[in-house]
Amino acid sequence: MTETLPRLLSLQSCDQRIRKALHTLDRLRASLAVLEEPALADVQAMQVRHDKIKEAAQARDVFAVQLEQIKDQLREKRRSEHHRRAGGVKACVQREITILEARKAAVKEDLRAAKAQFNENAAALHYAEEVAQTQIEERQRATATLLDQVAVTQDVLRAAQEERSALTSGITPLVLSEYERIFAHRSGVAVVAIAHETCQGCYLHVPAHLC
């Protein structure tokens, strides 16, 4: 048993490194997940902006077509007015022209508003894309740093696991099982050394006959 104690102390140190590495990996992976959340939100927000621009462009195009149609109708009515001689018929055509002029003014205003909305949405999208690009670059740098830390921690974990395999091969199953039980229930401390009749865990005096 005396020969086993140094090996158990080494094993405990190794297990503590493994525990710490696993905790660090969990923390790093949680940080990576946090970085991914705003990226998804940014994509969704950008899609909403693109949809708004598409809607504004469609409205602009519809009003532009309507305006051209009204202009065509006005030209036709004015030609018709020019050829009308009868007072009643001519007056009717003039009323139609007046109505078309009113419609033309209304559609021109709708077209102006649609163009303004399109320009506003396009400017907002351009600004959002610039901001998003900066945020993407920042997230990429942060992600790269975290991935580097993950790689280093995985190397530490792998080395500790290999060391543990070598250490446990020299410990009897019964002692190893008891050690692992205590280690799991005592916050990672199962074995402590005694130096000069003093426990190195609690620093209480241990009589020589008990050492």
PDB file of all heavy atoms in Angstrom, residues 116-130:
ATOM      1  N   ALA A 116     -39.397  56.972 -51.890  1.00  0.00           N
ATOM      2  CA  ALA A 116     -38.757  57.418 -50.646  1.00  0.00           C
ATOM      3  C   ALA A 116     -38.584  56.252 -49.679  1.00  0.00           C
ATOM      4  O   ALA A 116     -37.541  56.104 -49.031  1.00  0.00           O
ATOM      5  CB  ALA A 116     -39.591  58.525 -49.996  1.00  0.00           C
ATOM      6  N   GLN A 117     -39.620  55.398 -49.607  1.00  0.00           N
ATOM      7  CA  GLN A 117     -39.540  54.233 -48.727  1.00  0.00           C
ATOM      8  C   GLN A 117     -38.466  53.268 -49.205  1.00  0.00           C
ATOM      9  O   GLN A 117     -37.702  52.716 -48.402  1.00  0.00           O
ATOM     10  CB  GLN A 117     -40.894  53.519 -48.684  1.00  0.00           C
ATOM     11  CG  GLN A 117     -40.958  52.375 -47.671  1.00  0.00           C
ATOM     12  CD  GLN A 117     -40.792  52.866 -46.250  1.00  0.00           C
ATOM     13  OE1 GLN A 117     -41.554  53.691 -45.783  1.00  0.00           O
ATOM     14  NE2 GLN A 117     -39.790  52.352 -45.545  1.00  0.00           N
ATOM     15  N   PHE A 118     -38.390  53.084 -50.511  1.00  0.00           N
ATOM     16  CA  PHE A 118     -37.361  52.203 -51.069  1.00  0.00           C
ATOM     17  C   PHE A 118     -35.970  52.730 -50.740  1.00  0.00           C
ATOM     18  O   PHE A 118     -35.089  51.976 -50.312  1.00  0.00           O
ATOM     19  CB  PHE A 118     -37.532  52.092 -52.586  1.00  0.00           C
ATOM     20  CG  PHE A 118     -36.454  51.289 -53.254  1.00  0.00           C
ATOM     21  CD1 PHE A 118     -36.529  49.908 -53.316  1.00  0.00           C
ATOM     22  CD2 PHE A 118     -35.340  51.912 -53.807  1.00  0.00           C
ATOM     23  CE1 PHE A 118     -35.521  49.161 -53.924  1.00  0.00           C
ATOM     24  CE2 PHE A 118     -34.328  51.182 -54.411  1.00  0.00           C
ATOM     25  CZ  PHE A 118     -34.424  49.800 -54.467  1.00  0.00           C
ATOM     26  N   ASN A 119     -35.770  54.036 -50.948  1.00  0.00           N
ATOM     27  CA  ASN A 119     -34.459  54.630 -50.666  1.00  0.00           C
ATOM     28  C   ASN A 119     -34.106  54.533 -49.183  1.00  0.00           C
ATOM     29  O   ASN A 119     -32.952  54.275 -48.815  1.00  0.00           O
ATOM     30  CB  ASN A 119     -34.433  56.092 -51.117  1.00  0.00           C
ATOM     31  CG  ASN A 119     -34.500  56.232 -52.628  1.00  0.00           C
ATOM     32  OD1 ASN A 119     -34.118  55.325 -53.361  1.00  0.00           O
ATOM     33  ND2 ASN A 119     -34.999  57.361 -53.098  1.00  0.00           N
ATOM     34  N   GLU A 120     -35.115  54.756 -48.337  1.00  0.00           N
ATOM     35  CA  GLU A 120     -34.889  54.660 -46.886  1.00  0.00           C
ATOM     36  C   GLU A 120     -34.503  53.238 -46.499  1.00  0.00           C
ATOM     37  O   GLU A 120     -33.563  53.026 -45.721  1.00  0.00           O
ATOM     38  CB  GLU A 120     -36.161  55.083 -46.144  1.00  0.00           C
ATOM     39  CG  GLU A 120     -36.034  55.020 -44.635  1.00  0.00           C
ATOM     40  CD  GLU A 120     -37.324  55.399 -43.922  1.00  0.00           C
ATOM     41  OE1 GLU A 120     -38.097  56.173 -44.499  1.00  0.00           O
ATOM     42  OE2 GLU A 120     -37.547  54.916 -42.797  1.00  0.00           O
ATOM     43  N   ASN A 121     -35.229  52.253 -47.033  1.00  0.00           N
ATOM     44  CA  ASN A 121     -34.928  50.846 -46.723  1.00  0.00           C
ATOM     45  C   ASN A 121     -33.553  50.442 -47.259  1.00  0.00           C
ATOM     46  O   ASN A 121     -32.815  49.701 -46.607  1.00  0.00           O
ATOM     47  CB  ASN A 121     -35.999  49.933 -47.320  1.00  0.00           C
ATOM     48  CG  ASN A 121     -37.333  50.082 -46.620  1.00  0.00           C
ATOM     49  OD1 ASN A 121     -37.405  50.619 -45.524  1.00  0.00           O
ATOM     50  ND2 ASN A 121     -38.400  49.614 -47.256  1.00  0.00           N
ATOM     51  N   ALA A 122     -33.217  50.942 -48.449  1.00  0.00           N
ATOM     52  CA  ALA A 122     -31.915  50.615 -49.034  1.00  0.00           C
ATOM     53  C   ALA A 122     -30.780  51.200 -48.196  1.00  0.00           C
ATOM     54  O   ALA A 122     -29.753  50.545 -47.965  1.00  0.00           O
ATOM     55  CB  ALA A 122     -31.839  51.141 -50.465  1.00  0.00           C
ATOM     56  N   ALA A 123     -30.968  52.440 -47.715  1.00  0.00           N
ATOM     57  CA  ALA A 123     -29.944  53.065 -46.873  1.00  0.00           C
ATOM     58  C   ALA A 123     -29.795  52.320 -45.551  1.00  0.00           C
ATOM     59  O   ALA A 123     -28.680  52.100 -45.062  1.00  0.00           O
ATOM     60  CB  ALA A 123     -30.311  54.531 -46.617  1.00  0.00           C
ATOM     61  N   ALA A 124     -30.937  51.901 -44.973  1.00  0.00           N
ATOM     62  CA  ALA A 124     -30.901  51.154 -43.713  1.00  0.00           C
ATOM     63  C   ALA A 124     -30.198  49.811 -43.897  1.00  0.00           C
ATOM     64  O   ALA A 124     -29.426  49.374 -43.050  1.00  0.00           O
ATOM     65  CB  ALA A 124     -32.321  50.937 -43.186  1.00  0.00           C
ATOM     66  N   LEU A 125     -30.473  49.172 -45.039  1.00  0.00           N
ATOM     67  CA  LEU A 125     -29.819  47.896 -45.328  1.00  0.00           C
ATOM     68  C   LEU A 125     -28.317  48.082 -45.490  1.00  0.00           C
ATOM     69  O   LEU A 125     -27.521  47.286 -44.962  1.00  0.00           O
ATOM     70  CB  LEU A 125     -30.413  47.280 -46.593  1.00  0.00           C
ATOM     71  CG  LEU A 125     -29.741  45.982 -47.075  1.00  0.00           C
ATOM     72  CD1 LEU A 125     -29.874  44.885 -46.028  1.00  0.00           C
ATOM     73  CD2 LEU A 125     -30.328  45.537 -48.408  1.00  0.00           C
ATOM     74  N   HIS A 126     -27.925  49.115 -46.211  1.00  0.00           N
ATOM     75  CA  HIS A 126     -26.503  49.376 -46.417  1.00  0.00           C
ATOM     76  C   HIS A 126     -25.790  49.598 -45.085  1.00  0.00           C
ATOM     77  O   HIS A 126     -24.716  49.034 -44.848  1.00  0.00           O
ATOM     78  CB  HIS A 126     -26.324  50.603 -47.317  1.00  0.00           C
ATOM     79  CG  HIS A 126     -24.889  50.966 -47.564  1.00  0.00           C
ATOM     80  ND1 HIS A 126     -24.046  50.183 -48.327  1.00  0.00           N
ATOM     81  CD2 HIS A 126     -24.133  52.016 -47.122  1.00  0.00           C
ATOM     82  CE1 HIS A 126     -22.843  50.742 -48.344  1.00  0.00           C
ATOM     83  NE2 HIS A 126     -22.868  51.854 -47.620  1.00  0.00           N
ATOM     84  N   TYR A 127     -26.409  50.388 -44.216  1.00  0.00           N
ATOM     85  CA  TYR A 127     -25.810  50.650 -42.903  1.00  0.00           C
ATOM     86  C   TYR A 127     -25.743  49.349 -42.085  1.00  0.00           C
ATOM     87  O   TYR A 127     -24.731  49.067 -41.438  1.00  0.00           O
ATOM     88  CB  TYR A 127     -26.628  51.694 -42.151  1.00  0.00           C
ATOM     89  CG  TYR A 127     -26.160  51.927 -40.745  1.00  0.00           C
ATOM     90  CD1 TYR A 127     -25.003  52.656 -40.477  1.00  0.00           C
ATOM     91  CD2 TYR A 127     -26.885  51.409 -39.658  1.00  0.00           C
ATOM     92  CE1 TYR A 127     -24.564  52.857 -39.179  1.00  0.00           C
ATOM     93  CE2 TYR A 127     -26.448  51.610 -38.357  1.00  0.00           C
ATOM     94  CZ  TYR A 127     -25.290  52.334 -38.126  1.00  0.00           C
ATOM     95  OH  TYR A 127     -24.867  52.524 -36.842  1.00  0.00           O
ATOM     96  N   ALA A 128     -26.836  48.575 -42.113  1.00  0.00           N
ATOM     97  CA  ALA A 128     -26.882  47.321 -41.354  1.00  0.00           C
ATOM     98  C   ALA A 128     -25.814  46.342 -41.852  1.00  0.00           C
ATOM     99  O   ALA A 128     -25.205  45.625 -41.059  1.00  0.00           O
ATOM    100  CB  ALA A 128     -28.266  46.685 -41.462  1.00  0.00           C
ATOM    101  N   GLU A 129     -25.599  46.333 -43.170  1.00  0.00           N
ATOM    102  CA  GLU A 129     -24.581  45.437 -43.728  1.00  0.00           C
ATOM    103  C   GLU A 129     -23.177  45.845 -43.275  1.00  0.00           C
ATOM    104  O   GLU A 129     -22.328  44.985 -42.996  1.00  0.00           O
ATOM    105  CB  GLU A 129     -24.677  45.429 -45.250  1.00  0.00           C
ATOM    106  CG  GLU A 129     -25.879  44.664 -45.776  1.00  0.00           C
ATOM    107  CD  GLU A 129     -26.026  44.771 -47.281  1.00  0.00           C
ATOM    108  OE1 GLU A 129     -25.489  45.727 -47.880  1.00  0.00           O
ATOM    109  OE2 GLU A 129     -26.676  43.886 -47.873  1.00  0.00           O
ATOM    110  N   GLU A 130     -22.932  47.153 -43.202  1.00  0.00           N
ATOM    111  CA  GLU A 130     -21.631  47.621 -42.736  1.00  0.00           C
ATOM    112  C   GLU A 130     -21.415  47.237 -41.273  1.00  0.00           C
ATOM    113  O   GLU A 130     -20.340  46.756 -40.891  1.00  0.00           O
ATOM    114  CB  GLU A 130     -21.533  49.136 -42.899  1.00  0.00           C
ATOM    115  CG  GLU A 130     -21.401  49.598 -44.350  1.00  0.00           C
ATOM    116  CD  GLU A 130     -21.251  51.104 -44.452  1.00  0.00           C
ATOM    117  OE1 GLU A 130     -21.602  51.811 -43.483  1.00  0.00           O
ATOM    118  OE2 GLU A 130     -20.761  51.575 -45.505  1.00  0.00           O
TER     119      GLU A 130
END
